[in-house]
C-alpha cells in the first residue's frame, strides 16, 4: 500500500522542522511530485516561506524556487498536518550545550508525531545525533501512541548531508545513507529516498547510519585540526604552510587537502563531534582522544589568529590598543550568511578586549553579536579600507575585490590564503 503510494508519488509527506535541512527536503519532495507540508513552530518563518520568501540561510535558492513552482508544497505551524501524512521526516536541530548533546527538539518532535501517528506510516529521522538515538529515544516515544514499531509503523534514520553554499553537490547528487529498525523499514525508506536522490546507500542499522554521519564530520574536524596545528608549527619553523599543503595536495592518492584558518564554525563541524566525544565518555568511560585533541586545537585558533594580527601590527610599529582593525568576513565560511559558531566573531571579540577599534564588513552577514553587543557591517569603501591599520581577511567571500582591497590597505592579514602566492609587501598570511 505505502510502497505503491511512494512509487506513484501520491504518498503525502510532512517535514517537521523548517531549517535549511527541512526546507531543502520539503522543496525536493515537492519538486518530484509528492504533496508535502513543511511544519515549524516559528510562525514568522512559516509566514515568510508561505509567501515564497526564502528567509532560511543555507537553502539553495533554485531548489526553493523549483519546490514552490512544482505547486505541491504548503507551509504551516499546525502540527495536525502530521496526521494526514504517510511519510514523516524529522529535521530538527541537535545543539550542544556545555559539551553535552541537547536532544530536546528531537524528543518534542517525536512526541508531536506520536500524538498524531496512525498505522502504516513511515517515520524518518534526519537530525545529526549519536548512535542509538533513533532506536533508544525516538522509537519508545513513538510507541507511546500505542502502535508498535516495525509491526504497525516503520522507522528509519537517514542523516542529512546538505553542505550550505555548495554549488556542485546538492541534495539530489549527494548519496543518502539509510538504516532502518527492520528490513521492511530500510526497504521503504530506501524506496522513498530513491525518488529524490540519485544514489542511496543501505547500512545494517540506524546506529550504523547515525555513526557514519558523525564520522564524516569528525573526519573533517580532525583533519582541519591537523593543518591548523601544522600552520602554527610552520610559522615557528619559517616554512610557508600554504606552499606545503599545496605541494602535498599534488599527490594523486592518499592525501586530502584541508586549509588552516581562524578555526571551525557553523553548527555542524564544531558541534557534531561533541556528540561522539560525549557518548564515548558516557558509554566507554574514556576519552575519544584524537577527537578531543582536535576540538582543543581548533578551539585555540581564534586566539592564535588574533595574536598573529597583533604581531603583524607590531611589525608595522602599531600597538593593538586603539588600532583600527577592519575584519572582512564574519560568516563561518565563504558565500553564506550563517555566523553560528563563527571563529571570526571570536577573533573580533579577542581584539576588542585587547583595546582595538574593530569594525567588520560582510556582504552576507549584516549583523553579528560580539561581546553582548550587535555590530553592523560597514560599507566596504576605499575610505574604510584606508583608515584601517590592518584589514583582517577571515572569511574570503567571492564578493571581495582582493586587488582593490590590497591596493588601498596599509596592511592585510590573510588568514585564508585568499591572495595565494601573490606576494604583496602589505599582505601577511597565516
Ligand atoms: N574549514 C577549514 N578548513 C577546511 C575546511 C573547512 O578551516 O579545509 C572550516 C570552514 O571555514 C568552516 C568550518 O570548517 O568554518 C566548517 O565548514 P565546512 O564547509 O567544512 O562544513 P559545513 O558545516 O558547512 O558543512 C558540513 C559538511 N560536512 C562534510 O563535508 C563532511 C556538510 O556536508 C554537512 O551536511 C554539514 O556539515 C552538516 O550539516 O553536518
Amino acid at each position: 500500500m505505502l510502497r505503491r503510494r511512494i512509487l506513484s508519488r501520491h504518498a503525502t509527506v510532512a517535514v517537521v522542522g523548517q531549517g535549511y535541512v527541512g526546507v531543502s527536503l520539503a522543496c525536493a519532495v515537492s519538486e518530484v511530485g509528492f504533496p508535502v507540508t513543511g511544519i515549524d513552530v516559528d510562525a514568522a518563518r512559516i509566514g515568510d516561506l508561505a509567501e515564497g520568501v526564502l528567509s532560511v540561510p543555507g537553502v539553495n535558492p533554485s531548489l526553493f524556487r523549483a519546490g514552490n513552482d512544482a505547486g505541491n508544497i504548503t507551509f504551516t505551524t499546525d502540527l495536525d498536518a502530521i496526521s494526514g501524512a504517510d511519510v514523516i521526516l524529522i529535521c530538527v536541530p541537535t545543539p550542544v550545550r556545555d559539551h553535552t548533546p541537547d536532544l530536546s527538539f528531537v524528543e518534542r518532535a517525536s512526541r508531536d508525531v506520536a500524538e498524531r501517528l496512525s498505522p502504516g506510516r513511515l517515520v524518518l529521522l534526519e537530525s545529526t545525533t549519536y548512535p542509538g538515538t533513533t532506536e533508544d529515544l525516538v522509537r519508545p516515544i513513538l510507541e507511546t501512541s500505542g502502535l508498535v514499531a516495525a509491526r504497525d509503523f516503520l522507522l528509519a534514520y537517514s542523516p542529512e548531508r546538505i553542505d550550505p553554499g555548495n554549488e556542485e553537490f546538492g541534495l539530489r547528487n549527494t548519496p543518502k545513507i539509510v538504516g532502518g529498525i527492520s528490513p521492511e523499514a530500510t526497504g521503504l525508506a530506501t524506496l522513498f529516498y530513491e525518488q529524490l536522490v540519485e544514489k542511496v546507500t543501505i547500512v545494517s542499522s540506524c546506529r550504523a547510519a547515525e555513526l557514519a554521519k558523525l564520522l564524516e564530520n569528525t573526519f573533517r574536524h580532525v583533519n582541519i585540526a591537523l593543518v591548523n596545528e601544522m600552520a602554527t608549527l610552520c610559522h615557528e619553523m619559517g616554512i610557508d604552510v600554504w606552499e606545503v599543503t599545496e605541494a602535498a595536495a599534488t599527490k594523486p592518492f592518499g592525501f586530502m587537502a584541508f586549509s588552516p584558518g581562524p578555526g571551525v564554525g557553523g553548527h555542524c563541524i564544531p558541534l557534531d563531534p561533541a556528540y561522539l566525544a560525549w557518548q564515548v565518555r558516557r558509554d566507554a568511560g574514556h576519552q575519544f582522544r584524537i577527537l578531543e585533541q582536535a576540538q582543543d586545537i581548533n578551539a585555540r585558533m581564534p586566539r592564535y589568529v588574533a595574536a598573529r594580527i597583533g604581531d603583524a601590527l607590531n611589525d608595522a610599529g602599531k600597538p593593538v590598543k586603539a588600532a583600527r582593525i577592519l575584519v572582512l568576513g564574519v560568516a563561518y565560511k565563504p558565500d553564506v550568511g550563517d555566523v553560528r559558531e563563527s571563529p571570526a566573531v571570536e577573533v573580533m571579540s579577542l581584539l576588542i578586549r585587547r583595546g582595538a577599534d574593530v569594525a567588520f564588513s560582510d556582504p552576507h552577514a549584516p549583523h553579528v553579536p560580539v561581546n553582548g553587543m550587535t555590530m553592523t557591517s560597514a560599507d566596504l569603501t576605499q575610505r574604510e579600507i584606508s583608515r584601517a591599520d590592518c584589514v583582517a581577511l577571515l572569511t574570503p567571500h567571492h564578493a571581495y575585490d582582493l586587488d582593490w582591497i590590497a591596493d588601498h590597505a596599509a596592511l592585510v592579514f590573510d588568514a585564508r590564503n585568499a591572495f595565494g602566492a601573490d606576494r604583496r609587501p602589505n599582505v601577511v598570511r597565516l
Side-chain angles (χ1 to χ4, degrees), residues 282-297:
R282 183 194 69 176
D283 298 352
H286 59 73
Q287 277 187 319
F288 192 150
R289 290 165 296 157
I290 193 168
L291 191 166
E292 296 202 16
Q293 285 194 348
Q295 287 174 313
D296 189 49
I297 291 164

mmCIF file of all heavy atoms in Angstrom, residues 282-297:
data_model
loop_
_atom_site.group_PDB
_atom_site.id
_atom_site.type_symbol
_atom_site.label_atom_id
_atom_site.label_comp_id
_atom_site.label_asym_id
_atom_site.label_seq_id
_atom_site.Cartn_x
_atom_site.Cartn_y
_atom_site.Cartn_z
ATOM 1 N N ARG A 282 30.536 8.631 28.114
ATOM 2 C CA ARG A 282 29.421 8.074 28.898
ATOM 3 C C ARG A 282 29.426 6.543 28.849
ATOM 4 O O ARG A 282 29.321 5.874 29.868
ATOM 5 C CB ARG A 282 28.089 8.598 28.356
ATOM 6 C CG ARG A 282 26.870 8.138 29.154
ATOM 7 C CD ARG A 282 25.557 8.367 28.439
ATOM 8 N NE ARG A 282 25.414 7.482 27.283
ATOM 9 C CZ ARG A 282 24.297 7.451 26.544
ATOM 10 N NH1 ARG A 282 23.280 8.249 26.849
ATOM 11 N NH2 ARG A 282 24.207 6.640 25.507
ATOM 12 N N ASP A 283 29.554 5.988 27.657
ATOM 13 C CA ASP A 283 29.374 4.538 27.500
ATOM 14 C C ASP A 283 30.661 3.746 27.674
ATOM 15 O O ASP A 283 30.642 2.631 28.181
ATOM 16 C CB ASP A 283 28.767 4.241 26.123
ATOM 17 C CG ASP A 283 27.392 4.873 25.974
ATOM 18 O OD1 ASP A 283 26.877 5.405 26.987
ATOM 19 O OD2 ASP A 283 26.862 4.887 24.844
ATOM 20 N N ALA A 284 31.798 4.320 27.243
ATOM 21 C CA ALA A 284 33.061 3.564 27.328
ATOM 22 C C ALA A 284 33.907 4.023 28.512
ATOM 23 O O ALA A 284 34.881 3.367 28.875
ATOM 24 C CB ALA A 284 33.847 3.739 26.030
ATOM 25 N N GLY A 285 33.527 5.163 29.093
ATOM 26 C CA GLY A 285 34.228 5.633 30.289
ATOM 27 C C GLY A 285 35.631 6.151 30.022
ATOM 28 O O GLY A 285 36.455 6.260 30.936
ATOM 29 N N HIS A 286 35.912 6.445 28.761
ATOM 30 C CA HIS A 286 37.221 7.049 28.484
ATOM 31 C C HIS A 286 37.075 8.081 27.375
ATOM 32 O O HIS A 286 36.016 8.224 26.780
ATOM 33 C CB HIS A 286 38.250 5.976 28.099
ATOM 34 C CG HIS A 286 37.882 5.175 26.891
ATOM 35 N ND1 HIS A 286 37.928 5.690 25.610
ATOM 36 C CD2 HIS A 286 37.411 3.906 26.772
ATOM 37 C CE1 HIS A 286 37.535 4.753 24.752
ATOM 38 N NE2 HIS A 286 37.204 3.668 25.429
ATOM 39 N N GLN A 287 38.189 8.816 27.110
ATOM 40 C CA GLN A 287 38.150 9.872 26.099
ATOM 41 C C GLN A 287 38.241 9.289 24.701
ATOM 42 O O GLN A 287 38.867 8.248 24.498
ATOM 43 C CB GLN A 287 39.362 10.773 26.254
ATOM 44 C CG GLN A 287 39.293 11.866 27.279
ATOM 45 C CD GLN A 287 40.543 12.745 27.126
ATOM 46 O OE1 GLN A 287 41.642 12.230 26.908
ATOM 47 N NE2 GLN A 287 40.353 14.062 27.130
ATOM 48 N N PHE A 288 37.663 9.981 23.724
ATOM 49 C CA PHE A 288 37.974 9.745 22.313
ATOM 50 C C PHE A 288 39.102 10.735 22.046
ATOM 51 O O PHE A 288 38.886 11.880 21.663
ATOM 52 C CB PHE A 288 36.743 10.036 21.459
ATOM 53 C CG PHE A 288 36.824 9.577 20.020
ATOM 54 C CD1 PHE A 288 35.679 9.200 19.339
ATOM 55 C CD2 PHE A 288 38.027 9.551 19.332
ATOM 56 C CE1 PHE A 288 35.729 8.780 18.020
ATOM 57 C CE2 PHE A 288 38.094 9.130 18.016
ATOM 58 C CZ PHE A 288 36.948 8.741 17.352
ATOM 59 N N ARG A 289 40.341 10.293 22.285
ATOM 60 C CA ARG A 289 41.461 11.224 22.421
ATOM 61 C C ARG A 289 41.694 12.112 21.196
ATOM 62 O O ARG A 289 41.741 13.336 21.307
ATOM 63 C CB ARG A 289 42.741 10.463 22.767
ATOM 64 C CG ARG A 289 42.733 9.891 24.184
ATOM 65 C CD ARG A 289 43.813 8.858 24.387
ATOM 66 N NE ARG A 289 43.567 7.726 23.515
ATOM 67 C CZ ARG A 289 44.527 6.864 23.127
ATOM 68 N NH1 ARG A 289 45.775 7.071 23.496
ATOM 69 N NH2 ARG A 289 44.245 5.849 22.340
ATOM 70 N N ILE A 290 41.817 11.512 20.006
ATOM 71 C CA ILE A 290 42.158 12.318 18.830
ATOM 72 C C ILE A 290 41.065 13.355 18.559
ATOM 73 O O ILE A 290 41.356 14.488 18.164
ATOM 74 C CB ILE A 290 42.404 11.421 17.585
ATOM 75 C CG1 ILE A 290 43.052 12.220 16.468
ATOM 76 C CG2 ILE A 290 41.106 10.774 17.093
ATOM 77 C CD1 ILE A 290 43.590 11.346 15.338
ATOM 78 N N LEU A 291 39.829 12.982 18.832
ATOM 79 C CA LEU A 291 38.712 13.911 18.608
ATOM 80 C C LEU A 291 38.796 15.072 19.589
ATOM 81 O O LEU A 291 38.700 16.236 19.207
ATOM 82 C CB LEU A 291 37.403 13.148 18.772
ATOM 83 C CG LEU A 291 36.094 13.785 18.365
ATOM 84 C CD1 LEU A 291 35.009 12.719 18.290
ATOM 85 C CD2 LEU A 291 35.649 14.876 19.318
ATOM 86 N N GLU A 292 39.018 14.757 20.866
ATOM 87 C CA GLU A 292 39.047 15.824 21.875
ATOM 88 C C GLU A 292 40.265 16.718 21.682
ATOM 89 O O GLU A 292 40.199 17.930 21.901
ATOM 90 C CB GLU A 292 38.987 15.210 23.277
ATOM 91 C CG GLU A 292 37.665 14.481 23.525
ATOM 92 C CD GLU A 292 37.317 14.320 25.000
ATOM 93 O OE1 GLU A 292 37.921 15.026 25.838
ATOM 94 O OE2 GLU A 292 36.421 13.510 25.292
ATOM 95 N N GLN A 293 41.354 16.146 21.229
ATOM 96 C CA GLN A 293 42.530 16.988 20.947
ATOM 97 C C GLN A 293 42.255 17.907 19.771
ATOM 98 O O GLN A 293 42.623 19.086 19.779
ATOM 99 C CB GLN A 293 43.742 16.108 20.671
ATOM 100 C CG GLN A 293 44.300 15.497 21.950
ATOM 101 C CD GLN A 293 45.680 14.912 21.748
ATOM 102 O OE1 GLN A 293 46.121 14.772 20.607
ATOM 103 N NE2 GLN A 293 46.351 14.608 22.839
ATOM 104 N N ALA A 294 41.570 17.379 18.786
ATOM 105 C CA ALA A 294 41.218 18.208 17.618
ATOM 106 C C ALA A 294 40.319 19.360 18.049
ATOM 107 O O ALA A 294 40.493 20.503 17.615
ATOM 108 C CB ALA A 294 40.527 17.349 16.570
ATOM 109 N N GLN A 295 39.366 19.072 18.939
ATOM 110 C CA GLN A 295 38.473 20.132 19.434
ATOM 111 C C GLN A 295 39.309 21.214 20.115
ATOM 112 O O GLN A 295 39.109 22.416 19.901
ATOM 113 C CB GLN A 295 37.462 19.557 20.425
ATOM 114 C CG GLN A 295 36.376 18.705 19.791
ATOM 115 C CD GLN A 295 35.486 18.046 20.837
ATOM 116 O OE1 GLN A 295 35.973 17.462 21.806
ATOM 117 N NE2 GLN A 295 34.166 18.134 20.634
ATOM 118 N N ASP A 296 40.285 20.768 20.895
ATOM 119 C CA ASP A 296 41.122 21.712 21.634
ATOM 120 C C ASP A 296 41.949 22.560 20.671
ATOM 121 O O ASP A 296 41.995 23.791 20.788
ATOM 122 C CB ASP A 296 42.032 20.900 22.572
ATOM 123 C CG ASP A 296 42.776 21.802 23.533
ATOM 124 O OD1 ASP A 296 42.107 22.657 24.140
ATOM 125 O OD2 ASP A 296 44.017 21.693 23.601
ATOM 126 N N ILE A 297 42.559 21.916 19.680
ATOM 127 C CA ILE A 297 43.407 22.642 18.718
ATOM 128 C C ILE A 297 42.573 23.647 17.921
ATOM 129 O O ILE A 297 42.928 24.824 17.825
ATOM 130 C CB ILE A 297 44.098 21.643 17.767
ATOM 131 C CG1 ILE A 297 45.139 20.818 18.524
ATOM 132 C CG2 ILE A 297 44.739 22.368 16.579
ATOM 133 C CD1 ILE A 297 45.601 19.570 17.784
#
